[in-house]
Amino acid sequence: MHFACGQRRLWTGDRVYEVVGSTERFKGHIFRVVTDQVTMPGGAVAGRDVVRHVGAVGVVALDDDGRVVLVRQYRHPVGRYLWELPAGLIDVQGEGLAAAALRELAEEADLTAARVDLLVDMFTTPGCSDEMIRVFLARDLSEIPEHERHARTDEEADMQVDRVPLDEAVAMVFDGRITNGPAVGGLLAAARARDTGFTDLRPADAPLPPR
């Protein structure tokens, strides 16, 4: 929770941590890095380096044959290709989260979806970043006509797109072939949702958890 006075009081449910000062170290398009001075339970003040992130969305696209869409993309920070969900940043002004997820599905997998539900919300790296990703479940998929498809560039230019049975994708999580955090969480949540008949899904426009 942010206060306009320049100090922030962060409610954890058990105690209030107060940010009494903040220094910006870096500012970029996707994230900025700050050092917050935070009051601790004993009254001392400690510095905490934090990556403030714009946030992201992802989508588990499940087709009528029970297969999910996976994309294999190079990720420079870890120096390797990763199997992931179609996903991307919340970086279009005024765009809703479900609309952003559908945009990423179209851009990365050439698909649209007639049904979208909320699957799971995740803080990706809460030890150092406030990045949150909201993962949706997309069903009733349709192919985008070839002449209307998004032209992929940079790392996305050699992106591999595949459809994998959901149970096989879950097996890829447990045997170490899928290590991307949102993909791990999203696939396990999708398997659970399928096994319970999709009865516990929240609506796509459900409120975000507090940040």
Side-chain angles (χ1 to χ4, degrees):
M1 187 178 296
H2 297 264
F3 287 76
C5 63
Q7 295 182 346
R8 289 186 293 114
R9 296 173 64 83
L10 309 180
W11 176 247
T12 67
D14 294 318
R15 70 171 67 248
V16 175
Y17 287 76
E18 186 173 9
V19 177
V20 296
S22 186
T23 303
E24 186 171 85
R25 308 295 186 183
F26 169 81
K27 185 176 183 179
H29 172 65
I30 298 173
F31 64 85
R32 61 191 183 97
V33 180
V34 301
T35 301
D36 286 340
Q37 300 299 321
V38 187
T39 57
M40 295 289 112
V45 175
R48 293 290 181 264
D49 295 329
V50 182
V51 178
R52 303 282 181 203
H53 194 278
V54 298
V57 291
V59 55
V60 177
L62 183 65
D63 70 15
D64 292 340
D65 295 321
R67 300 175 301 171
V68 292
V69 176
L70 298 178
V71 298
R72 186 173 182 267
Q73 181 177 354
Y74 177 74
R75 291 300 188 181
H76 184 69
V78 296
R80 67 190 67 184
Y81 285 84
L82 298 178
W83 282 109
E84 305 180 347
L85 303 175
L89 301 172
I90 303 170
D91 59 357
V92 176
Q93 185 69 30
E95 184 178 51
L97 299 183
L102 289 175
R103 172 174 53 81
E104 294 295 339
L105 183 63
E107 291 179 358
E108 296 190 357
D110 304 320
L111 293 170
T112 60
R115 179 167 184 174
V116 180
D117 297 286
L118 173 56
L119 193 55
V120 67
D121 292 315
M122 289 178 284
F123 286 109
T124 60
T125 320
C128 66
S129 175
D130 68 351
E131 180 186 6
M132 174 178 281
I133 183 168
R134 169 161 279 193
V135 180
F136 295 89
L137 178 66
R139 290 176 284 173
D140 298 338
L141 307 179
S142 299
E143 297 274 353
I144 294 175
E146 189 168 350
H147 69 279
E148 297 179 7
R149 294 179 180 180
H150 175 75
R152 301 184 187 109
T153 60
D154 299 328
E155 291 93 340
E156 294 182 354
D158 71 343
M159 176 184 289
Q160 177 184 344
V161 182
D162 201 359
R163 296 197 193 191
V164 177
L166 178 54
D167 287 334
E168 181 180 340
V170 170
M172 292 170 69
V173 169
F174 288 109
D175 68 20
R177 283 178 288 165
I178 293 179
T179 56
N180 171 276
V184 170
L187 291 169
L188 296 181
R192 171 65 176 175
R194 178 204 59 190
D195 293 345
T196 56
F198 304 106
T199 56
D200 296 327
L201 295 174
R202 289 175 286 166
D205 59 354
L208 280 168
R211 292 185 62 174

